[in-house]
Amino acid sequence: MRICVYGAASPTIDEYYKQEVKKLGLEMAKRGHSLVFGGGGHGLMGAVADGIHEGGGHILGVIPKFFNDENIEAVFENCDELIEPDTMRERKQIMEDNADAFLIVPGGIGTFEEFFEILTLKQLCRHNKPIAIFNINGYYQEMLEMLEQATVKNFIRGGCLDLFHISENIDELLAYIEKPAKEWKISELKDG
Ligand code: AMP
């Protein structure tokens, strides 16, 4: 499968996260999956790409031209394919169109935005691809609690939080992604 991984660009996060995400990349390659990602060479984007590359898997990087033109971020050097759109919006569309599943690893606002967009689109039945979160060190615990609170208070519709799987275990995450996603109909959205 082509798995799109969203994750931190930051080079200054704790090494532990990078080690875990590199293991994820290695395991993805071992199971025959390829990587679609934001093309960055640092942080957890660099780590997952390192793992896939070492494991012999295929890598598609999608990074807007201005990252290079404005020296924002070094591109991962070993992409098998690199697409350089003009804008961030085009980039997200290309990543979505080229992925069979989405895996979110720890990250900052860029990663949060990517997760919430892909979840919103699934809630609206614009795709039915698996979404999984790698909750390393409980990084996403508070976000999950916030989403549960929002559901209790009826800001998020019932059933929405069943549209993704969250785990600290790589095998469990990949097994979830490899299963066909449960059928989801817009009529299943429950108000309150
Ligand atoms: P963040 O979580 O804020 O570090 O942003 C990372 C996510 O946003 C990645 O999944 C990328 O798709 C995108 N992104 C943000 N900043 C960069 C960057 N410097 N290089 C490449 N992608 C980035």
Side-chain angles (χ1 to χ4, degrees):
M1 288 173 88
R2 302 165 303 168
I3 302 180
C4 177
V5 176
Y6 297 129
S10 171
T12 55
I13 50 176
D14 194 287
E15 277 302 311
Y16 178 72
Y17 293 99
K18 294 189 203 163
Q19 286 161 16
E20 288 301 297
V21 171
K22 184 170 177 185
K23 278 190 219 161
L24 169 70
L26 280 165
E27 187 58 30
M28 281 168 55
K30 195 169 148 199
R31 292 175 179 232
H33 301 305
S34 64
L35 173 68
V36 176
F37 83 129
H42 296 298
L44 298 186
M45 277 189 289
V48 71
D50 273 341
I52 287 270
H53 181 65
E54 213 173 291
H58 183 273
I59 301 176
L60 166 62
V62 187
I63 190 160
K65 288 191 195 74
F66 71 84
F67 275 78
N68 192 25
D69 296 346
E70 297 174 26
N71 271 333
I72 298 174
E73 164 96 11
V75 177
F76 182 73
E77 285 180 346
N78 293 309
C79 291
D80 298 288
E81 275 180 86
L82 190 68
I83 302 179
E84 296 179 283
D86 288 323
T87 67
M88 294 294 275
R89 279 182 196 281
E90 287 172 273
R91 170 211 232 184
K92 277 193 298 178
Q93 191 65 52
I94 294 169
M95 290 166 80
E96 287 166 28
D97 291 346
N98 281 280
D100 304 306
F102 303 94
L103 226 165
I104 294 89
V105 303
I109 52 173
T111 305
F112 300 156
E113 192 227 6
E114 289 164 334
F115 166 60
F116 283 114
E117 179 178 52
I118 216 70
L119 180 62
T120 305
L121 291 173
K122 187 166 181 177
Q123 180 191 243
L124 296 172
C125 286
R126 297 305 94 189
H127 73 85
N128 193 28
K129 300 175 184 177
I131 303 174
I133 299 182
F134 191 11
N135 195 19
I136 303 171
N137 240 347
Y139 180 79
Y140 281 112
Q141 204 50 42
E142 288 86 357
M143 182 181 86
L144 196 60
E145 283 163 21
M146 189 185 85
L147 293 174
E148 282 163 357
Q149 270 306 307
T151 307
V152 168
K153 292 177 182 157
N154 296 330
F155 285 91
I156 293 180
R157 285 156 158 160
C160 183
L161 302 193
D162 299 331
L163 298 179
F164 63 91
H165 186 70
I166 180 163
S167 171
E168 297 204 26
N169 182 285
I170 291 174
D171 283 332
E172 188 184 317
L173 288 169
L174 292 177
Y176 174 82
I177 278 181
E178 286 159 1
K179 284 195 314 232
K182 192 177 142 279
E183 279 292 313
W184 167 252
K185 292 198 200 72
I186 218 154
S187 56
E188 287 177 48
L189 288 176
K190 293 182 205 72
D191 284 318

